Amino acid sequence: MILPPARTMLRPIAVTAMGLLLSACSTVSYYSHVAHGQGELVAHRRDVTTVLNDPATDQATRQRLLLAQEARHFASTHLGLPDNRSYTSYVQLDRPYVVWNVFATPPYSVSPLQHCFPFAGCVAYRGYFSRNKADAEAARLKREGNDVYVGGVPAYSTLGWFSDSILSSMMRWDDDELAGTIFHELAHQLIYVKDDSAFNESFASFVQEEGLREWRQSRGLPPQDDHARAMDDGFTRLVLDLRDRLKRLYASGVDTPAMAAGKQREIEDFRARYAQWREREWPDDHRYDAWVKAPINNARLVPFGLYDRWTPAFGALFRHAEGQWPAFYASVRAFAQQPHTQREQLLQQWLDASSPSLSAPSL
């Protein structure tokens, strides 16, 4: 996204570009662009062992790659994630992000324009390996009257179609985010449901969070500080509340001038609520100030909530599996095989069961 590190606003779009490589039904020029972009990554990747043995490799990069390889090994041996060539190679990019995602919505709707791909299904963005191409697409969509947002992507998954590499754009993260991203993306390779981003991202986010807890424990590290998570959750609730308010406004049936005025009023009211919340709860933490001060439109709100809608449900399912990864994955696969409506009903039952006062539903 890219804003503050960790789970904050980075998480909604930092690793969601999996669909862009699988487009066989898009325009020829777009397909050529993404094929060339992926080809460049493959051409420039180097085996991590080679990079580590290269005297020209700086110490900071060496340490980060060693940590990534430890996390990669832990993912397969302790978390039951795929044991393949992904994250055993390294690519030094000539740009800050590997991909830029373009989000768009109509001016009076919070529902994003969808882009559908044969294998990954439909997603709410289109990804570009070039910032200039992303900006050109954003300008085209804006000329059509849409709200538009462009966000940088440091890493993405190809769902096992290619051996994904560690990218230099990932190296500026802290240790937890680097290891967690590897867990997250390998989870996508393990289980992925076409046309259900909320399921896919919530599942992978749970694997990331629980995986990080076990990873830190295995290294004798204390539990993560809950400050960033609590603030992130609170801010996300504020943004989702704004999205809900705008959704009600757009469904109200008022005329266009009233809709436009109401939209700006809701955005300004959000900024006021944010200021009150931050001063009350987090007076010394200003990590979201820049995001709130920047222009806000419908498209900027799209990524929020995608990654954790069902995460508590997967937590309840993991506890029901007594913390055993094979049993947990078997249950998730059973959910994945259900039609969308039934799957959401099951997840809602487990979401309700994540409350301490309720018992788990039967599988």
Side-chain angles (χ1 to χ4, degrees), residues 266-285:
E266 290 292 357
I267 291 171
E268 290 308 314
D269 288 349
F270 160 78
R271 290 190 170 108
R273 288 193 300 275
Y274 165 77
Q276 294 170 358
W277 168 78
R278 194 208 64 202
E279 288 303 312
R280 181 180 67 251
E281 303 290 342
W282 315 95
D284 299 321
D285 197 325

Side-chain angles (χ1 to χ4, degrees), residues 37-168:
Q38 178 62 27
E40 285 285 297
L41 295 183
V42 172
H44 289 92
R45 67 187 180 189
R46 300 170 66 199
D47 188 86
V48 167
T49 302
T50 301
V51 179
L52 291 173
N53 291 332
D54 187 345
T57 302
D58 63 86
Q59 189 60 25
T61 300
R62 192 184 309 276
Q63 291 176 348
R64 305 294 285 154
L65 289 176
L66 285 170
L67 177 82
Q69 294 311 281
E70 292 173 8
R72 179 66 188 83
H73 180 72
F74 184 87
S76 295
T77 57
H78 292 271
L79 306 181
L81 294 171
D83 186 6
N84 54 30
R85 296 287 297 168
S86 288
Y87 306 109
T88 63
S89 61
Y90 176 69
V91 177
Q92 177 65 47
L93 300 171
D94 60 357
R95 54 191 187 272
Y97 304 119
V98 62
V99 162
W100 284 264
N101 277 350
V102 181
F103 294 84
T105 71
Y108 302 116
S109 172
V110 294
S111 297
L113 303 184
Q114 294 288 316
H115 304 275
C116 298
F117 307 101
F119 302 103
C122 297
V123 292
Y125 55 84
R126 205 175 190 192
Y128 292 83
F129 285 93
S130 161
R131 178 61 194 256
N132 288 339
K133 287 185 178 295
D135 287 344
E137 173 66 4
R140 183 189 70 81
L141 290 165
K142 191 172 183 179
R143 286 194 299 270
E144 293 180 354
N146 297 293
D147 281 5
V148 179
Y149 172 62
V150 178
V153 178
Y156 65 85
S157 170
T158 61
L159 305 180
W161 286 82
F162 297 90
S163 295
D164 298 320
S165 297
I166 302 165
L167 307 172
S168 58

